[in-house]
């Protein structure tokens, strides 16, 4: 079976990927469809589509507010699936879902991942489902070829290797403590974590949380295999609303170029 | 394979990777402390000398006579220092936090009782303290906000979501994920990820440990029922725990029915909730068809929570405890009834338990007894009840 996530890294000359996040349904579901296509055109290697949740406890204010706007606009899990279906008519960009355990649990694991398979969703990122709890979801997602993306944090210490050994797709390395959101500088030295991961697996590692500037993306992709950006993109949506498309395109393009120089 | 901290299928550790090692360390520290006589000695010293334990089991003669059924006993957690059962857990967790080398406590609060208790222990033990409280609750319980500040805590008004207890938990969790080095999250109920439901239950189980001895002394036999209010469920599990193996003792949790379980303005999780994963645990939650957490409502800020602790969900699923909804109206009537009948002003939370006891007392014979856990005192609620009755009262 081909590994679409892996290919999204390997296709670039330096084998490093730029991963973009967007909250689905902010400001409305039609705009999200357009933004995803724009990000794909601008060179985003993987796009994480956030299914909005009422209580996104891993998110800082920017993405939390986007969740609120998306839910107010009537976004549901079904509407996100339907939107992705329309995206798939125009693009085969690598897609992952990022959401909270309760939404997937409530939809029904089998029903959720069967739909993911139909739409060619490559992976799922669930920040409130750690290693100890993943089996109930992963045992089902894998039946449908959807990878459960493992997260590693600055506090993971002795857990890094345990997590990395079972990781599939890519490893989401959380750059710093706390919640998502733009940070002026990322002080955690992530290279020890990356080298621990490398000892046990060749699954690519991408760093997320706090990245905004191309220079940061280049540095982070330099020590790993890629950079993940969410809040900075959502901020553009917050600022420009439905008209954010071109701004997102320009931003993603500049970030992708930076990652390619890493 | 199920993870740790399960009560049947409920519980678990559904939390970000960032906090996992911290939870593991907390569990290890707790397991050590539990078996360390010096920890137990310090805990008991503070519970007895500082909090004023054991709390009384009071025979409510007038209520008994008036209701005309079972003998009514009140477990007087309202007489605990700071006016509620919350301090039992806070003393325990603060000692654990110190043992782990932490210098700062954070906590969520609904009615403000847990915030006050946390701020109190922080003051006592010389720890920094920050409380997260929904903005809506800071208005409903303004006096408790000032009380916490008086005790040296910083109170953060949470302005996201419904601006109540659920949102306060969200923000406290976020704060903790950003700062674990020096900070312990002193969770106030038997909820959240393992090991919290177990730790908090153990610290609160002192209620039933005492009550069981007290009722046997007074009555020579076990009670017919133990009744307690349930939001997250800490006072209820504390009141139930040492009676769980006494199969003949009915355990009854009273949920906040709000304006009725057939309206959206309710917080009765067992009555209206469904299985879900939220706030670190698999349990029952009030939520919509997609799993979006519902904006719940109750007159009681302390019960205004869309979930319930996993051990309660379990006790409900196996039929060992039953859970009943009590409306705002019923709770307010019970609040007033106990005030004028026994001269005890109960917390509006506890009034939910009193209301149910009033309904069922007659069902039992005069040689049977019921224990109502009066989880807190109602001074904090007086202004809100006055407003509920249309009296324009300013604190």
């Amino acid at each position: 079976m081909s590994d679409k996530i892996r290919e999204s890294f390997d296709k670039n000359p330096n084998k490093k990927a730029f991963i973009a996040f967007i909250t689905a349904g902010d400001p409305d579901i039609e705009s999200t469809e357009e933004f995803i296509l724009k990000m794909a055109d601008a060179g985003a290697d993987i796009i994480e589509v956030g299914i909005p949740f009422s209580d996104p406890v891993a998110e800082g204010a920017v993405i939390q507010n986007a969740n609120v706007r998306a839910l107010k606009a009537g976004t549901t899990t079904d509407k996100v699936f339907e939107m992705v279906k329309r995206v798939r008519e125009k693009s085969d960009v690598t897609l992952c879902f990022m959401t909270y355990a309760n939404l997937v649990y409530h939809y029904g694991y089998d029903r959720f991942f069967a739909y993911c398979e139909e739409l060619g969703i490559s992976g799922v990122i669930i920040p409130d489902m750690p290693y100890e709890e993943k089996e109930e979801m992963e045992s089902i997602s894998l039946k449908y070829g959807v990878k459960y993306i493992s997260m590693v944090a600055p506090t993971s210490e002795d857990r890094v290797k345990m997590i990395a050994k079972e990781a599939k797709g890519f490893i989401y390395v959380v750059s710093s403590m706390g919640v998502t959101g733009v940070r002026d500088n990322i002080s955690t030295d992530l290279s020890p974590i990356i080298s621990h991961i490398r000892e046990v697996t060749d699954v690519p590692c991408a760093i997320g949380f706090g990245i905004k500037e191309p220079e940061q993306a280049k540095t982070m992709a330099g020590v790993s295999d890629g950079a993940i950006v969410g809040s900075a993109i959502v901020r553009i949506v917050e600022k420009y609303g439905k008209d954010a498309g071109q701004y997102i395109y320009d931003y993603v393009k500049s970030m992708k170029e930076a990652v390619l120089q890493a | 394979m199920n993870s740790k901290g399960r009560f049947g299928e409920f519980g678990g550790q559904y939390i970000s990777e960032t906090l996992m090692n911290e939870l593991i360390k907390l569990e290890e520290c707790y397991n050590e402390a539990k078996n360390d006589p010096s920890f137990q000695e310090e805990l008991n010293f503070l519970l007895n000398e500082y909090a004023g334990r054991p709390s009384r089991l009071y025979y409510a003669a007038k209520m008994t006579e008036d209701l005309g059924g079972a003998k009514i006993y009140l477990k007087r957690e309202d007489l605990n220092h700071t006016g509620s059962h919350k301090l039992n857990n806070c003393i325990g967790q603060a000692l654990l936090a110190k043992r782990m080398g932490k210098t700062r406590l954070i906590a969520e609060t609904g009615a403000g009782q847990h915030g006050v208790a946390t701020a109190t222990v922080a003051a006592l033990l010389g720890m920094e303290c920050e409380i997260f409280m929904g903005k809506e609750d800071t208005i409903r319980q303004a006096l408790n906000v000032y009380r916490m500040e008086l005790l040296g805590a910083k109170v953060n008004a949470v302005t996201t979501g419904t601006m109540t207890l659920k949102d306060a938990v969200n923000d406290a969790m976020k704060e903790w994920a950003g700062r674990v080095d020096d900070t312990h999250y002193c969770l106030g109920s038997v909820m959240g990820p393992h090991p919290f439901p177990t730790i908090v239950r153990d610290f609160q189980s002192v209620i039933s440990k005492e009550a069981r001895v007290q009722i046997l002394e007074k009555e020579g036999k076990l009670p017919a029922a133990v009744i307690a209010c349930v939001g997250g469920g800490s006072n209820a599990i504390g009141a139930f725990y040492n009676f769980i193996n006494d199969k003949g003792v009915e355990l009854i949790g009273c949920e906040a029915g709000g304006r009725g379980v057939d309206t959206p303005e309710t917080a009765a999780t067992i009555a209206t909730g469904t299985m879900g994963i939220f706030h670190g645990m698999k349990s029952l939650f009030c939520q919509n068809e997609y799993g979006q957490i519902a904006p719940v409502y109750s007159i009681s800020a302390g019960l205004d929570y869309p979930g319930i602790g996993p051990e309660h969900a379990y006790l409900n699923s196996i039929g060992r405890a039953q859970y009943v909804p009590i409306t705002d109206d019923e709770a307010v009537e019970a609040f007033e009834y106990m005030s004028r009948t026994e001269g005890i002003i109960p917390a509006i939370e506890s009034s939910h338990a009193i209301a149910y006891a009033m309904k069922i007392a007659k069902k039992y014979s005069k040689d049977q007894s019921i224990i109502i856990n009066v989880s807190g005192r109602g001074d904090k609620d007086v202004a809100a009840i006055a407003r509920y009755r249309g009296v324009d009262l300013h604190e």
Side-chain angles (χ1 to χ4, degrees):
Chain A
M1 194 173 73
S2 72
D3 182 343
K4 197 166 175 186
I5 292 176
R6 182 89 211 195
E7 286 161 16
S8 305
F9 286 83
D10 287 351
K11 70 181 164 57
N12 292 323
N14 62 354
K15 298 192 186 312
K16 294 181 192 286
F18 176 68
I19 302 173
F21 168 89
I22 191 121
T23 301
D26 172 31
D28 55 53
I29 203 77
E30 293 75 22
S31 298
T32 307
E33 181 184 340
E34 182 207 332
F35 299 160
I36 290 172
L37 295 169
K38 282 273 200 296
M39 292 195 290
D41 284 349
D45 298 297
I46 297 172
I47 296 170
E48 290 176 14
V49 179
I51 306 175
F53 181 47
S54 53
D55 297 82
V57 289
E59 314 296 351
V62 170
I63 296 179
Q64 163 142 13
N65 290 335
N67 278 256
V68 172
R69 290 193 297 271
L71 290 174
K72 269 200 182 136
T75 308
T76 63
T77 310
D78 280 318
K79 285 182 181 170
V80 176
F81 276 127
E82 287 155 22
M83 179 271 295
V84 171
K85 204 173 197 173
R86 296 194 294 275
V87 167
R88 276 291 176 244
E89 289 164 13
K90 294 167 192 156
S91 169
D92 68 346
V93 65
T94 306
L95 294 173
C96 293
F97 277 136
M98 176 157 178
T99 192
Y100 288 79
N102 200 42
L103 296 192
V104 185
Y105 178 79
H106 225 73
Y107 203 84
Y109 291 145
D110 271 286
R111 183 168 162 238
F112 186 91
F113 290 110
Y115 213 159
C116 285
E117 181 181 38
E118 186 190 325
L119 298 175
I121 299 288
S122 301
V124 62
I125 303 160
I126 310 288
D128 58 349
M129 191 166 253
Y131 177 85
E132 279 77 356
E133 303 291 355
K134 68 173 179 156
E135 195 191 314
E136 67 175 82
M137 185 182 285
E138 192 177 32
S139 61
I140 298 172
S141 76
L142 287 178
K143 279 199 304 190
Y144 299 96
V146 181
K147 295 189 169 72
Y148 163 94
I149 305 300
S150 297
M151 298 179 97
V152 162
T155 48
S156 294
E157 299 169 4
D158 52 326
R159 297 168 53 80
V160 172
K161 284 186 190 176
M162 172 184 86
I163 294 168
K165 265 184 206 161
E166 293 186 14
K168 295 181 177 66
F170 71 92
I171 294 173
Y172 192 127
V173 180
V174 175
S175 74
S176 28
M177 299 296 291
V179 292
T180 57
V182 169
R183 288 159 173 81
D184 289 337
N185 65 61
I186 294 164
S187 54
T188 317
D189 179 11
L190 298 166
S191 40
I193 294 179
I194 306 287
S195 50
H196 283 314
I197 295 173
R198 292 272 191 265
E199 285 173 37
V200 295
T201 182
D202 63 350
V203 167
C205 311
I207 299 173
F209 275 40
I211 301 172
K212 181 194 175 201
E213 302 296 336
E215 203 52 38
Q216 286 174 312
K218 188 178 158 187
T219 309
M220 290 301 144
V223 298
S224 66
D225 304 303
I228 308 167
V229 172
S231 296
I233 293 168
V234 173
R235 257 192 189 178
I236 298 173
V237 179
E238 182 180 69
K239 188 168 174 191
Y240 297 103
K242 290 180 187 190
D243 304 322
Q246 188 60 37
Y247 298 96
I248 292 172
Y249 177 88
D250 293 343
Y251 176 74
V252 169
K253 199 161 193 292
S254 70
M255 295 297 276
K256 173 66 183 288
E257 280 163 11
V259 167
L260 289 180
Q261 287 162 23
Chain B
M1 178 201 78
N2 265 345
S3 67
K4 288 191 288 190
R6 293 280 172 169
F7 306 91
E9 62 187 314
F10 306 98
Q13 289 181 299
Y14 298 89
I15 198 81
S16 70
E17 171 58 25
T18 303
L19 288 171
M20 276 307 297
N21 258 330
E22 194 60 23
L23 292 173
I24 291 167
K25 284 178 206 160
L26 176 62
E27 183 185 5
E28 285 168 359
C29 173
Y30 177 63
N31 286 336
E32 277 172 30
K34 213 164 48 173
N35 299 311
D36 176 354
S38 71
F39 179 86
Q40 292 301 330
E41 198 179 316
E42 196 177 3
L43 176 63
N44 288 331
F45 176 81
L46 289 176
L47 286 176
N48 296 341
E49 300 299 320
Y50 186 70
R53 302 205 70 87
S55 72
R56 300 300 174 121
L57 184 71
Y58 172 71
Y59 172 55
K62 284 184 72 191
M63 265 178 85
T64 300
E65 191 185 341
D66 185 58
L67 297 174
K71 290 183 186 170
I72 307 289
Y73 281 91
L74 307 177
K75 182 61 175 162
R76 298 290 309 276
E77 290 301 304
D78 59 315
L79 295 179
N80 217 20
H81 179 43
T82 75
S84 81
H85 71 291
K86 291 291 187 188
L87 194 66
N88 306 336
N89 167 47
C90 291
I91 290 175
Q93 281 200 49
L95 291 179
L96 281 182
K98 282 217 123 172
R99 197 180 168 99
M100 293 174 79
K102 311 285 184 186
T103 55
R104 179 171 175 262
L105 295 176
I106 57 169
E108 84 294 344
T109 197
Q113 296 299 84
H114 177 58
V116 167
T118 307
T120 297
V121 181
L124 176 72
L125 299 179
M127 300 175 87
E128 206 185 317
C129 183
E130 222 168 295
I131 303 296
F132 295 83
M133 187 172 186
K135 193 178 171 213
E136 184 71 26
D137 293 336
T138 63
I139 297 163
R140 287 198 280 192
Q141 300 286 351
L143 210 53
N144 266 341
V145 174
Y146 193 75
R147 201 167 278 145
M148 288 182 263
E149 288 168 351
L150 206 57
L151 291 160
K154 184 181 171 214
V155 181
N156 299 293
V158 177
T159 56
T160 51
T162 50
M163 304 188 200
T164 59
L165 182 53
K166 157 185 84 93
D167 311 284
V169 174
N170 289 350
D171 273 29
M173 277 185 176
K174 288 182 185 188
E175 172 70 17
W176 200 32
R179 190 171 164 185
V180 292
D181 284 353
D182 66 345
T183 300
H184 174 69
Y185 178 13
C186 184
L187 228 162
S189 195
V190 284
M191 44 156 292
H194 175 72
F196 283 110
T198 297
I199 290 181
V200 179
R201 179 252 279 153
D202 287 355
F203 287 138
Q204 291 296 359
S205 66
V206 67
I207 299 172
S208 52
K209 191 178 160 196
E210 291 171 3
R212 197 173 182 283
V213 172
Q214 290 166 324
I215 196 78
L216 286 174
E217 269 172 17
K218 287 172 195 288
E219 289 292 316
K221 62 176 180 178
L222 292 168
V226 177
I227 307 180
C229 65
V230 181
S234 73
N235 92 80
I237 208 79
F240 294 171
Y241 190 64
N242 289 285
F243 292 107
I244 289 176
N245 291 328
D246 299 322
K247 299 292 181 218
V249 179
E250 285 179 66
L251 306 175
I252 306 167
C254 301
E255 300 193 292
R259 300 206 163 96
V261 292
D262 49 353
T263 77
E265 290 179 299
T266 179
T269 309
I270 297 268
T272 67
T274 52
M275 278 289 275
I277 298 170
F278 184 49
H279 279 167
M281 57 187 174
K282 188 177 272 181
S283 191
L284 296 166
F285 298 94
C286 300
Q287 53 189 331
N288 77 4
E289 60 188 302
Y290 286 103
Q292 306 291 352
I293 303 302
V296 292
Y297 162 82
S298 161
I299 187 173
S300 151
L303 304 182
D304 198 355
Y305 181 71
I308 188 164
E311 194 165 5
H312 284 295
Y314 174 66
L315 290 174
N316 176 64
S317 73
I318 61 168
R320 178 62 192 96
Q322 58 160 314
Y323 296 82
V324 294
I326 297 295
T327 64
D328 284 1
D329 283 346
E330 291 169 328
V332 169
E333 274 166 32
F335 179 93
E336 294 167 338
Y337 174 81
M338 189 146 111
S339 299
R340 65 170 187 269
T341 309
E342 289 291 344
I344 294 168
I345 302 177
I348 189 65
E349 289 76 23
S350 321
S351 300
H352 287 70
I354 297 158
Y356 194 66
M358 289 163 64
K359 284 189 190 183
I360 63 162
K362 249 200 167 101
K363 212 173 81 167
Y364 301 93
S365 67
K366 290 184 197 308
D367 61 350
Q368 289 179 300
S369 66
I370 289 176
I371 296 176
I372 305 172
N373 195 37
V374 182
S375 56
R377 67 177 181 225
D379 308 50
K380 68 179 176 58
D381 300 308
V382 170
I385 301 300
R387 286 195 292 273
Y388 187 83
R389 289 300 188 205
V391 179
D392 186 22
L393 188 74
H394 296 279
E395 288 172 328

